[in-house]
Amino acid sequence: MNARKSVFVLTMLVLGFVFLYGPILSLIIYSFNESRLVTVWGGFSVKWYRELLQNQQLLGAAWLSLKIAALNATCATVLGTLAGLALARFGAFRGRALLMGMATAPLVMPEVITGLSLLLLFVAMEQAIGWPAGRGMTTITIAHITFSMAYVTVVVQSRLAALDESLEEAAMDLGARPAKVFFLITLPIIMPAILAGWLLAFTLSWDDLVIASFVSGPGASTLPIVIFSKVRLGVSPDINALATILVLIVAIGIVTAGIYMQRQQKRRDLDVQRAIAAND
Amino acid sequence: MAHARPEQKNEPWKDPGATPYVRIDKVTKKFGEFVAVDDVTLHIYRGEIFCLLGGSGCGKTTLLRMMAGFETPTAGTISLDGVDITAMPPYERPVNMMFQSYALFPHMTVEQNVAFGLRQDRVAKSEIRDRVAEMLKLVHMDAFAKRKPHQLSGGQRQRVALARSLVKRPKLLLLDEPLAALDKKLREHTQFELINIQETLGVTFVVVTHDQEEAMTLATRIGVMNHGEIVQTGTPTEIYEYPGSRFVADFIGSVNLFEGRLIEDEPDYVRVRSDELGGVFHVGHGVSAAPDATVWVALRPEKIQISRERPDGDGDNRVQGTVAEIAYRGDQSVYLVRLANGRQVRVTQPNIIRQGSLRISWDDAVWLGWDSASPVVVTR
């Protein structure tokens, strides 16, 4: 019974992992392929990595994506934090329900519609007030902020809802004005949520293809746009190399963060245990 | 019910010429249609430990939060030391509060937590250091100055919260259920420590609690609240021995309440016939009520003598019954005695001699008797 059960569990585990990571694994393997044909194995080589470093188009697109993602994440975090704060802390003001609905609507809005409507808006604005002139980095960044702000809002709001409000009252009681309470108490405590929101916004922008395609212009192609258009003309192996590097960066980031958090948690648990043991 | 502090000689509330330190005047607070605090007038004097006592939702916390400045009264005024503070924001009031959750800032050390209030007032660095150290010493937390709140036990957190709220030397300290989060042993110990600290510093305390034992131990005076109103104010002894209404009698401690009618009304005693008792109460105090009015007699369980022999004297203040239940509590035993009409009476007796001095058992026929000074007549 038990042996049969463990065989079943093991099979499911393997199948699950293959389903999730098989495609990525094959991509990594083929990035070291000697052959120009993506699907035919021609021996081990790192020549596509060398070629990648000389591909100005890809490197330029990666740099642009990085700039947009960082700018977007920062702006979306500021706006999203403010919206989250308004929703969680200012009670039942007029229009709260509307703000709540509207701030989180982009989470469920089809990307095609968001992209199209933003495109129409930018064109209309250009005709009316002459800004933004043409489409490019500015329009992509604005478009990304509109939808990633919604994610930050949700993350910050839920963290604030879990935060004991008497902490803020205590600070006020001890003589801190509301603005000071925010910077000295609220902000440091919700900082992890804000950082998480920033990372989320960064990632959303970094791999967005649909909205960016609508609002980008000539000369402003983000990395996903370049990769997608290259793949349509036939997959070149240097894309595999690029993808492998990206996977590696993400994996290192996640593993580092995971180890750090686990250590923190362990230390905290130990502290709490000691405190209980020393109970008077 | 032990009373911790020696009976104070100065009782400013009895002196009509004394000036109240905190003056709560006709304060009402509504949340929409709900009236949380209903036309409360209350005077608290300097150096008191005043307890607001009541069940959940009685408005005691709302009243406290209005004193702290977190809520604004819908009507009425609050003044402290002669200054109207009704509309003053919390960060300007010379009032500090100790929160039920303690509300210690988790990202700061014990030292930083205590120093926070002084920093807001831009006190000189060296003075902050001295005052924080002095305060931590007072609450016996000087060895833990560099710890973070999550590294402390519940009792230690409570003491840090107390130090933090006292370090600014407030004119008034508000404590919201200060001991509710501690276990029973620690709570008792901390009650006495709180009283000591209050006496050392001379700060006026207002304590909100739902725990009547805590209120009895701490308070100079207690204000019992119900449905947003203060139903009775008095010293713990007054509240316990002379409850003004059925609600207070029932809320503080346990009590047997009997409905009856006044049959004799003299200035120094009254007699009440009660069908619920199946007998007559002879009560040794006067009552301001119309003859023949419906009244209630409150009789504390510990003031009833239980015995198998018939008590001496005339026929008042005694009744016969059978023992229905016995609960042995170690220090005392609780008897539930069923009267002839089916009504049950609660009686507690201290176990002075080991294994029960009376050796009264289930289904024994017993007599209950009490002194005429024990029952209290309430008219509402």
Side-chain angles (χ1 to χ4, degrees), chain B residues 199-200 366:
Chain B
E199 276 166 1
T200 313
V366 289

Side-chain angles (χ1 to χ4, degrees), chain B residues 84-105:
Chain B
D84 186 345
I85 58 165
T86 316
M88 203 184 268
Y91 43 85
E92 283 172 7
R93 294 188 183 206
V95 173
N96 283 128
M97 178 154 164
M98 196 182 122
F99 290 80
Q100 183 174 10
S101 62
Y102 307 145
L104 296 179
F105 308 133

